[in-house]
Amino acid sequence: METQRSCGLSAILAAVSMLLAACSGGGGGGGSSTPPPGTPPPQLPDASTAPALKTVFAPYFRIGAAVMIEEIDPATHPDDVALLKKHFSSITVANALKADTVGVAEGQYNFEPAEQIIAFAHDNGIEVRAHTLVWHFTSPDWFFAGDRSDPAAYRELVRQRLKTYITDVVTHFKGQVYAWDVVNEVAGAAQGETYRTDSPWYEAYSVGGGNGADYIEDAFRAARAADPDVKLFINDFLTENPVKRANLLAIVQDLLDKGVPIDGVGHQVHSNIAVSADSVDAALTAVEQLSPSLINHVTELDLSVYAGPGAPANYGTGGLPSAVAGQQARTYRALFEVFRKHDASLDSVTAWGISDAETWLSHLGAVQRTDYPLLFDAQRQPKWAFWAIVDPAVQLPQ
Ligand code: XIL
């Protein structure tokens, strides 16, 4: 292992350090002072001494993981089950509540996989975050079928389908989940492009001159009517980017102005090990400043080790070089310092997955590479990133 690591590693490390040096504000904070020469590298603490994340963070916020149906099966995934039971106070249903799973056909629902995950969570005293009612990526075609020659009638047909779907799904899980991502990724990316327009919802609502964005309001109103108590969220990625954030917050402001029931903003924080903690700080602060009524959730946290141009194409399955693991840990530490600072508005922080064994980032169609974005490694052992966030005194590798 060590031989394999040292072989050819210097080129990789040089590339990574160049990249990190080039990233303004990368990582930031978290005890990155250089130890005196001759200091032995820190050793990863013994896994058996790992505290439960949910105990460490109980004073601040729920700590969660997104979970896929197969990961709660003790026969095939005993280590994932053990991690969920020990560490997490929240589970997000990763895929089983998306409309391409639940909405089999108009009026026909497949609730079972989500029900199984929710039952597992509740049997183990874990709360559930529900994700997501409306996402352009997972909305089946039946929502949008119909004759568009009478635009007003077509728009009304789609609108009623949306309202019926949300009413039925939210009613079904009423009292079982503490939050719903009502709409997911609806903000535009470019400056001044408030709404995502490449969405079948936006397109359908726009037919014949309709207001494409109205589906968002309809979705929140239907969700609130079905469950007066569940917290309703708008969820999006890159809230740490000021341009994207301005679009998202313009939507939230508009909803608030219209009296639409919205409780909070979900920050996905799908990012990488060079993300600036200050940019995430700014995102959480911006929501707080918009309205004291709004809650923040960090909903899909993961930090890819492939930090952009100049990063190696693939570390492979041989393991993460310790310097990179150390950098990742410093960034996680800096982020959790920010999260704790915002605990008055932030009541849930969720990782997008349990361990590096199953991360969506290793399965992204265009990029086939092994990623290492989470707190537990592929063997389900705590990584440097884990130790960095549970104990500020733990020295991290350089
Ligand atoms: C991803 C899941 O992790 C994958 O398993 C699935 O194939 C596609 O969706 N933003 C989101 C999540 O809001 O729902 C996505 O989850 C990741 C990006």
Side-chain angles (χ1 to χ4, degrees):
M1 186 65 173
E2 278 310 310
T3 327
Q4 192 189 357
R5 279 186 171 193
S6 53
C7 180
L9 197 60
S10 50
I12 293 173
L13 291 179
V16 170
S17 47
M18 268 170 54
L19 168 77
L20 293 174
C23 285
S24 61
S32 55
S33 59
T34 313
T39 309
Q43 296 298 305
L44 201 61
D46 183 348
S48 68
T49 67
L53 291 171
K54 65 182 174 191
T55 307
V56 173
F57 294 109
Y60 309 103
F61 35 72
R62 300 171 182 88
I63 186 89
V67 171
M68 296 181 289
I69 183 67
E70 59 272 19
E71 293 172 317
I72 59 163
D73 183 346
T76 58
H77 289 68
D79 298 340
D80 290 317
V81 168
L83 287 182
L84 289 170
K85 288 184 180 180
K86 172 170 175 179
H87 288 288
F88 294 99
S89 51
S90 177
I91 279 178
T92 294
V93 180
N95 291 324
L97 283 172
K98 290 171 179 167
D100 58 351
T101 297
V102 172
V104 177
E106 191 165 1
Q108 193 186 327
Y109 301 103
N110 172 22
F111 292 129
E112 206 193 319
E115 285 172 347
Q116 286 179 24
I117 294 175
I118 293 170
F120 169 88
H122 290 170
D123 286 350
N124 292 291
I126 303 171
E127 292 185 89
V128 178
R129 251 196 128 259
H131 172 83
T132 171
L133 292 165
V134 180
W135 189 23
H136 63 281
F137 199 62
T138 49
S139 295
D141 291 344
W142 62 257
F143 278 117
F144 313 106
D147 178 5
R148 300 185 177 203
S149 62
D150 180 346
Y154 174 75
R155 289 200 308 266
E156 189 54 26
L157 178 70
V158 174
R159 182 166 189 243
Q160 289 308 326
R161 285 182 182 139
L162 175 71
K163 289 168 77 170
T164 302
Y165 177 81
I166 290 180
T167 303
D168 290 352
V169 177
V170 174
T171 301
H172 188 84
F173 294 105
K174 187 177 172 182
Q176 300 186 53
V177 300
Y178 67 92
W180 264 109
D181 287 330
V182 177
V183 295
N184 192 36
E185 304 182 353
V186 299
Q191 186 136 23
E193 185 190 298
T194 307
Y195 297 98
R196 173 190 289 277
T197 51
D198 61 334
S199 155
W201 291 107
Y202 193 94
E203 285 164 13
Y205 268 64
S206 299
V207 166
N211 184 354
D214 279 352
Y215 74 93
I216 300 172
E217 175 176 348
D218 286 344
F220 276 96
R221 290 195 190 279
R224 174 55 76 238
D227 186 344
D229 298 320
V230 70
K231 300 295 183 198
L232 303 179
F233 277 74
I234 189 168
N235 189 48
D236 218 319
F237 59 94
L238 268 186
T239 64
E240 59 273 24
N241 173 297
V243 172
K244 176 71 179 281
R245 179 161 74 237
N247 293 333
L248 180 67
L249 295 189
I251 297 173
V252 176
Q253 184 67 63
D254 180 58
L255 294 173
L256 291 172
D257 290 347
K258 290 176 176 159
V260 175
I262 175 171
D263 296 304
V265 175
H267 308 258
Q268 293 186 2
V269 198
H270 287 299
S271 193
N272 62 51
I273 60 172
V275 69
S276 133
D278 288 348
S279 69
V280 177
D281 193 355
L284 298 172
T285 301
V287 171
E288 290 161 357
Q289 289 176 347
L290 199 65
S291 168
S293 72
L294 291 170
I295 309 166
N296 278 306
H297 280 182
V298 171
T299 53
E300 307 187 17
L301 177 62
D302 50 17
L303 299 181
S304 171
V305 297
Y306 302 111
N314 196 342
Y315 291 119
T317 51
L320 196 55
S322 73
V324 183
Q327 174 58 28
Q328 180 180 55
R330 271 184 282 280
T331 304
Y332 263 108
R333 179 175 278 172
L335 285 181
F336 272 78
E337 280 169 11
V338 167
F339 297 160
R340 280 200 300 268
K341 193 176 84 175
H342 286 277
D343 69 345
S345 71
L346 177 64
D347 66 23
S348 179
V349 174
T350 293
W352 200 247
I354 305 169
S355 82
D356 289 347
E358 272 304 332
T359 161
W360 74 301
L361 295 173
S362 294
H363 307 292
L364 283 179
V367 200
Q368 285 301 323
R369 60 189 184 186
T370 306
D371 212 331
Y372 304 83
L374 296 167
L375 299 173
F376 297 94
D377 70 17
Q379 286 70 46
R380 279 76 169 178
Q381 301 302 306
K383 293 164 60 181
W384 281 113
F386 174 95
W387 294 104
I389 67 168
V390 300
D391 185 352
V394 167
Q395 292 296 312
L396 305 171
Q398 295 294 320

